[in-house]
Amino acid sequence: MSTRYDAIVVGGGIGGSALAAVLARMGKRILLLEKSQIYEDRVRGEWIAPWGVKEVQRVGLYDLLRSAGGHHLARHITYDETRDPAMAEAAPLPLGMFVPEVPGPLCIGHPHHCQTLFDEAERSGAKALRGVIVMKIVPGAAPSVTYRHDGQEHEAVAPLIVGADGRLSAAREAAHIALHQDKPHHWFAGMLVEGADNWSDDLQAIGTEGDFAFLAFPQGKGRVRVYGGYALDQRKRFSGEDGPRKFLDAFAMQSCPQNRYLVEGRPAGPLFSYFNNDSWTDEPYAPGMVLIGDAAGWNDPIVGLGLSITYRDVRIVSDILKDIADWSRVNFSPYGEERRERMRRLRFAAGLQAALDMEFGDAAKEKRRRYHEAAAKDMSVGLHGFAVMAGPETAPPDIFTPQHRARVLGE
């Protein structure tokens, strides 16, 4: 027997659960299907840029995340082997300057974030199931999902299927939506650290020294999510049982005295390494199907915009749906057009950031020195960073051109 819903959301991570909650609050009958029984630390998705926080506010989930322990960061420091650390620390960037009514980026642990939204979707009226094995997804004129739950097979039908099932999306494959990817630029590793009690809870930082670059985003109460970038030919640099310790030791930098608090910390979760690259879809929708979050393509994690991208997806898709009674006849082309340009701009910004922060050696060091000097004299040189924090649409179009890249990198 088939059960009918207004929409079936495949994937109960942050994007799927957030959208299910928003649609259920509209009074719609929503089925939310999640494979995992327990959300695990996947070393991503804990920092929301100010423009992403604005999207969280617009979909009505901000108070929920704050009550769940989400906290704002107020200051940013860029360290570098070409800069005096005392000078860098004397002029931190205030993070409340980018988006009105947003005091700065919002941080919340990924597994807890997922669980909070999944519970909210259920509380809002969605039928939310865990431990689900999706067996078949049929988009098109008569969308349906066949799945197994508690040992029994079920079929659900709806005028719309939402694919929110991540990078290896079965929904995307079922809809024959092509995924494009660029070439990896470097390795990126991440881990949660605890015991870093002297790292300020409101301070995020990045920096490059020698053959390693780092990012640090505090989660509160002495816990800091740290990332490190290193060259593609160092694939096994942090492998083995002592990998987490070697990873933390790599944060010991003369150019960033604060990092000693991270080195003194303890691993509080797994250490994962992965390629840094971008992926995108030309049209994140098909008849009877729309994709959100990583299922629709992702940005290079170097700029940390996965959650911001996802929350904008949730906002745009829900805005389109709330004004349409018949969800079998939805025109998602405005969403596709906005997302295509958004991801193009963010691809550019991430590529520029990678060329600055994640390349090593004397030539790269000199390139960063020139960049920091130029940006101090002319703020337009760093406008790609403004796009990361305030939103890609806030920077002039000519920022996302080869001419601007050449100007920034001194090519």
PDB file of all heavy atoms in Angstrom, residues 253-282:
ATOM      1  N   MET A 253      53.109  27.211  15.732  1.00  0.00           N
ATOM      2  CA  MET A 253      53.612  28.183  14.767  1.00  0.00           C
ATOM      3  C   MET A 253      54.141  29.416  15.484  1.00  0.00           C
ATOM      4  O   MET A 253      53.476  29.948  16.377  1.00  0.00           O
ATOM      5  CB  MET A 253      52.503  28.614  13.807  1.00  0.00           C
ATOM      6  CG  MET A 253      51.965  27.528  12.913  1.00  0.00           C
ATOM      7  SD  MET A 253      50.685  28.170  11.798  1.00  0.00           S
ATOM      8  CE  MET A 253      50.357  26.714  10.796  1.00  0.00           C
ATOM      9  N   GLN A 254      55.305  29.873  15.081  1.00  0.00           N
ATOM     10  CA  GLN A 254      55.838  31.112  15.644  1.00  0.00           C
ATOM     11  C   GLN A 254      54.967  32.305  15.276  1.00  0.00           C
ATOM     12  O   GLN A 254      54.852  33.255  16.042  1.00  0.00           O
ATOM     13  CB  GLN A 254      57.263  31.333  15.137  1.00  0.00           C
ATOM     14  CG  GLN A 254      58.276  30.339  15.670  1.00  0.00           C
ATOM     15  CD  GLN A 254      59.689  30.648  15.210  1.00  0.00           C
ATOM     16  OE1 GLN A 254      59.897  31.512  14.355  1.00  0.00           O
ATOM     17  NE2 GLN A 254      60.664  29.954  15.776  1.00  0.00           N
ATOM     18  N   SER A 255      54.352  32.261  14.109  1.00  0.00           N
ATOM     19  CA  SER A 255      53.540  33.394  13.648  1.00  0.00           C
ATOM     20  C   SER A 255      52.180  33.454  14.323  1.00  0.00           C
ATOM     21  O   SER A 255      51.476  34.454  14.183  1.00  0.00           O
ATOM     22  CB  SER A 255      53.346  33.318  12.133  1.00  0.00           C
ATOM     23  OG  SER A 255      52.694  32.107  11.769  1.00  0.00           O
ATOM     24  N   CYS A 256      51.827  32.413  15.077  1.00  0.00           N
ATOM     25  CA  CYS A 256      50.542  32.401  15.796  1.00  0.00           C
ATOM     26  C   CYS A 256      50.748  31.857  17.203  1.00  0.00           C
ATOM     27  O   CYS A 256      50.538  30.661  17.458  1.00  0.00           O
ATOM     28  CB  CYS A 256      49.508  31.567  15.049  1.00  0.00           C
ATOM     29  SG  CYS A 256      47.897  31.565  15.879  1.00  0.00           S
ATOM     30  N   PRO A 257      51.150  32.707  18.134  1.00  0.00           N
ATOM     31  CA  PRO A 257      51.385  32.245  19.513  1.00  0.00           C
ATOM     32  C   PRO A 257      50.148  31.612  20.145  1.00  0.00           C
ATOM     33  O   PRO A 257      50.270  30.724  20.999  1.00  0.00           O
ATOM     34  CB  PRO A 257      51.796  33.528  20.243  1.00  0.00           C
ATOM     35  CG  PRO A 257      52.268  34.461  19.166  1.00  0.00           C
ATOM     36  CD  PRO A 257      51.447  34.142  17.963  1.00  0.00           C
ATOM     37  N   GLN A 258      48.953  32.065  19.748  1.00  0.00           N
ATOM     38  CA  GLN A 258      47.717  31.523  20.319  1.00  0.00           C
ATOM     39  C   GLN A 258      47.578  30.021  20.081  1.00  0.00           C
ATOM     40  O   GLN A 258      46.894  29.323  20.838  1.00  0.00           O
ATOM     41  CB  GLN A 258      46.510  32.242  19.707  1.00  0.00           C
ATOM     42  CG  GLN A 258      46.411  33.719  19.996  1.00  0.00           C
ATOM     43  CD  GLN A 258      45.751  34.013  21.328  1.00  0.00           C
ATOM     44  OE1 GLN A 258      45.209  33.124  21.974  1.00  0.00           O
ATOM     45  NE2 GLN A 258      45.805  35.254  21.744  1.00  0.00           N
ATOM     46  N   ASN A 259      48.219  29.518  19.035  1.00  0.00           N
ATOM     47  CA  ASN A 259      48.043  28.121  18.687  1.00  0.00           C
ATOM     48  C   ASN A 259      48.584  27.155  19.735  1.00  0.00           C
ATOM     49  O   ASN A 259      48.272  25.967  19.707  1.00  0.00           O
ATOM     50  CB  ASN A 259      48.700  27.822  17.340  1.00  0.00           C
ATOM     51  CG  ASN A 259      47.820  28.187  16.170  1.00  0.00           C
ATOM     52  OD1 ASN A 259      46.833  28.911  16.330  1.00  0.00           O
ATOM     53  ND2 ASN A 259      48.169  27.712  14.985  1.00  0.00           N
ATOM     54  N   ARG A 260      49.380  27.671  20.651  1.00  0.00           N
ATOM     55  CA  ARG A 260      49.875  26.777  21.709  1.00  0.00           C
ATOM     56  C   ARG A 260      48.729  26.195  22.516  1.00  0.00           C
ATOM     57  O   ARG A 260      48.831  25.083  23.052  1.00  0.00           O
ATOM     58  CB  ARG A 260      50.858  27.516  22.615  1.00  0.00           C
ATOM     59  CG  ARG A 260      50.261  28.634  23.459  1.00  0.00           C
ATOM     60  CD  ARG A 260      51.361  29.340  24.252  1.00  0.00           C
ATOM     61  NE  ARG A 260      50.853  30.384  25.127  1.00  0.00           N
ATOM     62  CZ  ARG A 260      50.625  31.633  24.739  1.00  0.00           C
ATOM     63  NH1 ARG A 260      50.871  31.998  23.481  1.00  0.00           N
ATOM     64  NH2 ARG A 260      50.176  32.541  25.585  1.00  0.00           N
ATOM     65  N   TYR A 261      47.615  26.920  22.590  1.00  0.00           N
ATOM     66  CA  TYR A 261      46.457  26.407  23.325  1.00  0.00           C
ATOM     67  C   TYR A 261      45.807  25.242  22.586  1.00  0.00           C
ATOM     68  O   TYR A 261      45.222  24.348  23.210  1.00  0.00           O
ATOM     69  CB  TYR A 261      45.433  27.522  23.537  1.00  0.00           C
ATOM     70  CG  TYR A 261      45.988  28.732  24.261  1.00  0.00           C
ATOM     71  CD1 TYR A 261      45.785  30.011  23.762  1.00  0.00           C
ATOM     72  CD2 TYR A 261      46.726  28.588  25.426  1.00  0.00           C
ATOM     73  CE1 TYR A 261      46.292  31.133  24.412  1.00  0.00           C
ATOM     74  CE2 TYR A 261      47.245  29.693  26.086  1.00  0.00           C
ATOM     75  CZ  TYR A 261      47.022  30.959  25.571  1.00  0.00           C
ATOM     76  OH  TYR A 261      47.537  32.053  26.225  1.00  0.00           O
ATOM     77  N   LEU A 262      45.920  25.243  21.263  1.00  0.00           N
ATOM     78  CA  LEU A 262      45.399  24.123  20.486  1.00  0.00           C
ATOM     79  C   LEU A 262      46.320  22.917  20.609  1.00  0.00           C
ATOM     80  O   LEU A 262      45.851  21.780  20.759  1.00  0.00           O
ATOM     81  CB  LEU A 262      45.259  24.527  19.015  1.00  0.00           C
ATOM     82  CG  LEU A 262      44.380  25.749  18.735  1.00  0.00           C
ATOM     83  CD1 LEU A 262      44.401  26.075  17.243  1.00  0.00           C
ATOM     84  CD2 LEU A 262      42.949  25.514  19.210  1.00  0.00           C
ATOM     85  N   VAL A 263      47.628  23.153  20.571  1.00  0.00           N
ATOM     86  CA  VAL A 263      48.594  22.066  20.700  1.00  0.00           C
ATOM     87  C   VAL A 263      48.448  21.381  22.051  1.00  0.00           C
ATOM     88  O   VAL A 263      48.615  20.156  22.172  1.00  0.00           O
ATOM     89  CB  VAL A 263      50.026  22.596  20.504  1.00  0.00           C
ATOM     90  CG1 VAL A 263      51.055  21.476  20.691  1.00  0.00           C
ATOM     91  CG2 VAL A 263      50.184  23.220  19.118  1.00  0.00           C
ATOM     92  N   GLU A 264      48.112  22.150  23.079  1.00  0.00           N
ATOM     93  CA  GLU A 264      47.938  21.593  24.421  1.00  0.00           C
ATOM     94  C   GLU A 264      46.630  20.832  24.568  1.00  0.00           C
ATOM     95  O   GLU A 264      46.407  20.145  25.568  1.00  0.00           O
ATOM     96  CB  GLU A 264      47.977  22.724  25.451  1.00  0.00           C
ATOM     97  CG  GLU A 264      49.334  23.418  25.560  1.00  0.00           C
ATOM     98  CD  GLU A 264      49.269  24.700  26.370  1.00  0.00           C
ATOM     99  OE1 GLU A 264      48.150  25.074  26.800  1.00  0.00           O
ATOM    100  OE2 GLU A 264      50.317  25.349  26.539  1.00  0.00           O
ATOM    101  N   GLY A 265      45.738  20.949  23.591  1.00  0.00           N
ATOM    102  CA  GLY A 265      44.436  20.298  23.672  1.00  0.00           C
ATOM    103  C   GLY A 265      44.493  18.803  23.396  1.00  0.00           C
ATOM    104  O   GLY A 265      45.556  18.219  23.130  1.00  0.00           O
ATOM    105  N   ARG A 266      43.323  18.178  23.436  1.00  0.00           N
ATOM    106  CA  ARG A 266      43.197  16.729  23.224  1.00  0.00           C
ATOM    107  C   ARG A 266      42.193  16.468  22.108  1.00  0.00           C
ATOM    108  O   ARG A 266      41.160  17.150  22.012  1.00  0.00           O
ATOM    109  CB  ARG A 266      42.696  16.046  24.505  1.00  0.00           C
ATOM    110  CG  ARG A 266      43.521  16.318  25.734  1.00  0.00           C
ATOM    111  CD  ARG A 266      42.908  15.646  26.959  1.00  0.00           C
ATOM    112  NE  ARG A 266      41.554  16.150  27.234  1.00  0.00           N
ATOM    113  CZ  ARG A 266      41.275  17.242  27.939  1.00  0.00           C
ATOM    114  NH1 ARG A 266      42.272  17.975  28.432  1.00  0.00           N
ATOM    115  NH2 ARG A 266      40.032  17.609  28.155  1.00  0.00           N
ATOM    116  N   PRO A 267      42.458  15.457  21.280  1.00  0.00           N
ATOM    117  CA  PRO A 267      41.466  15.091  20.263  1.00  0.00           C
ATOM    118  C   PRO A 267      40.151  14.695  20.926  1.00  0.00           C
ATOM    119  O   PRO A 267      40.134  13.930  21.889  1.00  0.00           O
ATOM    120  CB  PRO A 267      42.113  13.898  19.554  1.00  0.00           C
ATOM    121  CG  PRO A 267      43.582  14.058  19.794  1.00  0.00           C
ATOM    122  CD  PRO A 267      43.693  14.657  21.172  1.00  0.00           C
ATOM    123  N   ALA A 268      39.052  15.238  20.410  1.00  0.00           N
ATOM    124  CA  ALA A 268      37.721  14.940  20.960  1.00  0.00           C
ATOM    125  C   ALA A 268      36.815  14.327  19.905  1.00  0.00           C
ATOM    126  O   ALA A 268      35.595  14.281  20.073  1.00  0.00           O
ATOM    127  CB  ALA A 268      37.087  16.219  21.512  1.00  0.00           C
ATOM    128  N   GLY A 269      37.400  13.852  18.839  1.00  0.00           N
ATOM    129  CA  GLY A 269      36.631  13.259  17.757  1.00  0.00           C
ATOM    130  C   GLY A 269      37.589  12.736  16.708  1.00  0.00           C
ATOM    131  O   GLY A 269      38.813  12.822  16.850  1.00  0.00           O
ATOM    132  N   PRO A 270      37.056  12.191  15.637  1.00  0.00           N
ATOM    133  CA  PRO A 270      37.922  11.619  14.598  1.00  0.00           C
ATOM    134  C   PRO A 270      38.676  12.688  13.824  1.00  0.00           C
ATOM    135  O   PRO A 270      38.275  13.845  13.761  1.00  0.00           O
ATOM    136  CB  PRO A 270      36.918  10.900  13.695  1.00  0.00           C
ATOM    137  CG  PRO A 270      35.632  11.656  13.870  1.00  0.00           C
ATOM    138  CD  PRO A 270      35.622  12.068  15.316  1.00  0.00           C
ATOM    139  N   LEU A 271      39.792  12.265  13.229  1.00  0.00           N
ATOM    140  CA  LEU A 271      40.554  13.096  12.304  1.00  0.00           C
ATOM    141  C   LEU A 271      40.260  12.589  10.897  1.00  0.00           C
ATOM    142  O   LEU A 271      40.534  11.433  10.583  1.00  0.00           O
ATOM    143  CB  LEU A 271      42.052  12.998  12.598  1.00  0.00           C
ATOM    144  CG  LEU A 271      42.996  13.621  11.562  1.00  0.00           C
ATOM    145  CD1 LEU A 271      42.805  15.134  11.505  1.00  0.00           C
ATOM    146  CD2 LEU A 271      44.453  13.267  11.869  1.00  0.00           C
ATOM    147  N   PHE A 272      39.653  13.441  10.086  1.00  0.00           N
ATOM    148  CA  PHE A 272      39.349  13.078   8.701  1.00  0.00           C
ATOM    149  C   PHE A 272      40.139  13.980   7.762  1.00  0.00           C
ATOM    150  O   PHE A 272      40.253  15.185   7.993  1.00  0.00           O
ATOM    151  CB  PHE A 272      37.859  13.244   8.405  1.00  0.00           C
ATOM    152  CG  PHE A 272      36.973  12.189   9.018  1.00  0.00           C
ATOM    153  CD1 PHE A 272      35.624  12.439   9.201  1.00  0.00           C
ATOM    154  CD2 PHE A 272      37.474  10.960   9.401  1.00  0.00           C
ATOM    155  CE1 PHE A 272      34.799  11.482   9.773  1.00  0.00           C
ATOM    156  CE2 PHE A 272      36.662   9.996   9.966  1.00  0.00           C
ATOM    157  CZ  PHE A 272      35.317  10.248  10.149  1.00  0.00           C
ATOM    158  N   SER A 273      40.657  13.389   6.697  1.00  0.00           N
ATOM    159  CA  SER A 273      41.317  14.145   5.642  1.00  0.00           C
ATOM    160  C   SER A 273      40.547  13.952   4.346  1.00  0.00           C
ATOM    161  O   SER A 273      40.045  12.860   4.078  1.00  0.00           O
ATOM    162  CB  SER A 273      42.759  13.676   5.452  1.00  0.00           C
ATOM    163  OG  SER A 273      43.531  13.889   6.612  1.00  0.00           O
ATOM    164  N   TYR A 274      40.467  15.002   3.539  1.00  0.00           N
ATOM    165  CA  TYR A 274      39.734  14.909   2.281  1.00  0.00           C
ATOM    166  C   TYR A 274      40.261  15.968   1.317  1.00  0.00           C
ATOM    167  O   TYR A 274      40.932  16.925   1.709  1.00  0.00           O
ATOM    168  CB  TYR A 274      38.227  15.084   2.499  1.00  0.00           C
ATOM    169  CG  TYR A 274      37.834  16.179   3.458  1.00  0.00           C
ATOM    170  CD1 TYR A 274      37.605  17.473   3.016  1.00  0.00           C
ATOM    171  CD2 TYR A 274      37.684  15.914   4.824  1.00  0.00           C
ATOM    172  CE1 TYR A 274      37.244  18.479   3.893  1.00  0.00           C
ATOM    173  CE2 TYR A 274      37.325  16.908   5.704  1.00  0.00           C
ATOM    174  CZ  TYR A 274      37.103  18.183   5.231  1.00  0.00           C
ATOM    175  OH  TYR A 274      36.758  19.189   6.111  1.00  0.00           O
ATOM    176  N   PHE A 275      39.964  15.767   0.038  1.00  0.00           N
ATOM    177  CA  PHE A 275      40.355  16.745  -0.970  1.00  0.00           C
ATOM    178  C   PHE A 275      39.535  18.013  -0.819  1.00  0.00           C
ATOM    179  O   PHE A 275      38.365  17.976  -0.440  1.00  0.00           O
ATOM    180  CB  PHE A 275      40.110  16.204  -2.375  1.00  0.00           C
ATOM    181  CG  PHE A 275      41.086  15.150  -2.807  1.00  0.00           C
ATOM    182  CD1 PHE A 275      40.640  13.976  -3.393  1.00  0.00           C
ATOM    183  CD2 PHE A 275      42.447  15.329  -2.654  1.00  0.00           C
ATOM    184  CE1 PHE A 275      41.530  13.010  -3.810  1.00  0.00           C
ATOM    185  CE2 PHE A 275      43.348  14.364  -3.071  1.00  0.00           C
ATOM    186  CZ  PHE A 275      42.889  13.200  -3.651  1.00  0.00           C
ATOM    187  N   ASN A 276      40.147  19.127  -1.152  1.00  0.00           N
ATOM    188  CA  ASN A 276      39.407  20.385  -1.248  1.00  0.00           C
ATOM    189  C   ASN A 276      39.090  20.644  -2.711  1.00  0.00           C
ATOM    190  O   ASN A 276      40.001  20.862  -3.511  1.00  0.00           O
ATOM    191  CB  ASN A 276      40.230  21.548  -0.683  1.00  0.00           C
ATOM    192  CG  ASN A 276      39.762  21.927   0.693  1.00  0.00           C
ATOM    193  OD1 ASN A 276      39.580  21.068   1.523  1.00  0.00           O
ATOM    194  ND2 ASN A 276      39.561  23.206   0.924  1.00  0.00           N
ATOM    195  N   ASN A 277      37.822  20.586  -3.049  1.00  0.00           N
ATOM    196  CA  ASN A 277      37.431  20.927  -4.408  1.00  0.00           C
ATOM    197  C   ASN A 277      35.963  21.332  -4.424  1.00  0.00           C
ATOM    198  O   ASN A 277      35.244  21.160  -3.439  1.00  0.00           O
ATOM    199  CB  ASN A 277      37.678  19.761  -5.372  1.00  0.00           C
ATOM    200  CG  ASN A 277      36.808  18.562  -5.076  1.00  0.00           C
ATOM    201  OD1 ASN A 277      36.459  18.298  -3.937  1.00  0.00           O
ATOM    202  ND2 ASN A 277      36.460  17.827  -6.110  1.00  0.00           N
ATOM    203  N   ASP A 278      35.553  21.878  -5.543  1.00  0.00           N
ATOM    204  CA  ASP A 278      34.178  22.319  -5.717  1.00  0.00           C
ATOM    205  C   ASP A 278      33.408  21.322  -6.575  1.00  0.00           C
ATOM    206  O   ASP A 278      33.977  20.609  -7.410  1.00  0.00           O
ATOM    207  CB  ASP A 278      34.138  23.684  -6.421  1.00  0.00           C
ATOM    208  CG  ASP A 278      34.349  24.836  -5.464  1.00  0.00           C
ATOM    209  OD1 ASP A 278      33.353  25.319  -4.907  1.00  0.00           O
ATOM    210  OD2 ASP A 278      35.500  25.247  -5.280  1.00  0.00           O
ATOM    211  N   SER A 279      32.081  21.329  -6.385  1.00  0.00           N
ATOM    212  CA  SER A 279      31.209  20.522  -7.224  1.00  0.00           C
ATOM    213  C   SER A 279      29.911  21.286  -7.402  1.00  0.00           C
ATOM    214  O   SER A 279      29.480  22.019  -6.501  1.00  0.00           O
ATOM    215  CB  SER A 279      30.950  19.162  -6.578  1.00  0.00           C
ATOM    216  OG  SER A 279      30.143  18.366  -7.408  1.00  0.00           O
ATOM    217  N   TRP A 280      29.274  21.110  -8.564  1.00  0.00           N
ATOM    218  CA  TRP A 280      28.055  21.871  -8.822  1.00  0.00           C
ATOM    219  C   TRP A 280      27.175  21.150  -9.837  1.00  0.00           C
ATOM    220  O   TRP A 280      27.628  20.270 -10.569  1.00  0.00           O
ATOM    221  CB  TRP A 280      28.390  23.276  -9.316  1.00  0.00           C
ATOM    222  CG  TRP A 280      29.109  23.328 -10.631  1.00  0.00           C
ATOM    223  CD1 TRP A 280      28.584  23.536 -11.864  1.00  0.00           C
ATOM    224  CD2 TRP A 280      30.522  23.152 -10.825  1.00  0.00           C
ATOM    225  NE1 TRP A 280      29.550  23.501 -12.825  1.00  0.00           N
ATOM    226  CE2 TRP A 280      30.763  23.278 -12.219  1.00  0.00           C
ATOM    227  CE3 TRP A 280      31.600  22.911  -9.974  1.00  0.00           C
ATOM    228  CZ2 TRP A 280      32.026  23.155 -12.763  1.00  0.00           C
ATOM    229  CZ3 TRP A 280      32.859  22.796 -10.525  1.00  0.00           C
ATOM    230  CH2 TRP A 280      33.066  22.914 -11.894  1.00  0.00           C
ATOM    231  N   THR A 281      25.921  21.528  -9.863  1.00  0.00           N
ATOM    232  CA  THR A 281      24.972  21.033 -10.851  1.00  0.00           C
ATOM    233  C   THR A 281      24.471  22.221 -11.665  1.00  0.00           C
ATOM    234  O   THR A 281      24.325  23.324 -11.139  1.00  0.00           O
ATOM    235  CB  THR A 281      23.776  20.333 -10.183  1.00  0.00           C
ATOM    236  OG1 THR A 281      23.209  21.208  -9.204  1.00  0.00           O
ATOM    237  CG2 THR A 281      24.202  19.046  -9.492  1.00  0.00           C
ATOM    238  N   ASP A 282      24.212  21.983 -12.942  1.00  0.00           N
ATOM    239  CA  ASP A 282      23.700  23.064 -13.783  1.00  0.00           C
ATOM    240  C   ASP A 282      22.264  23.420 -13.415  1.00  0.00           C
ATOM    241  O   ASP A 282      21.898  24.595 -13.379  1.00  0.00           O
ATOM    242  CB  ASP A 282      23.768  22.669 -15.260  1.00  0.00           C
ATOM    243  CG  ASP A 282      25.204  22.499 -15.745  1.00  0.00           C
ATOM    244  OD1 ASP A 282      26.074  23.246 -15.257  1.00  0.00           O
ATOM    245  OD2 ASP A 282      25.438  21.621 -16.583  1.00  0.00           O
TER     246      ASP A 282
END
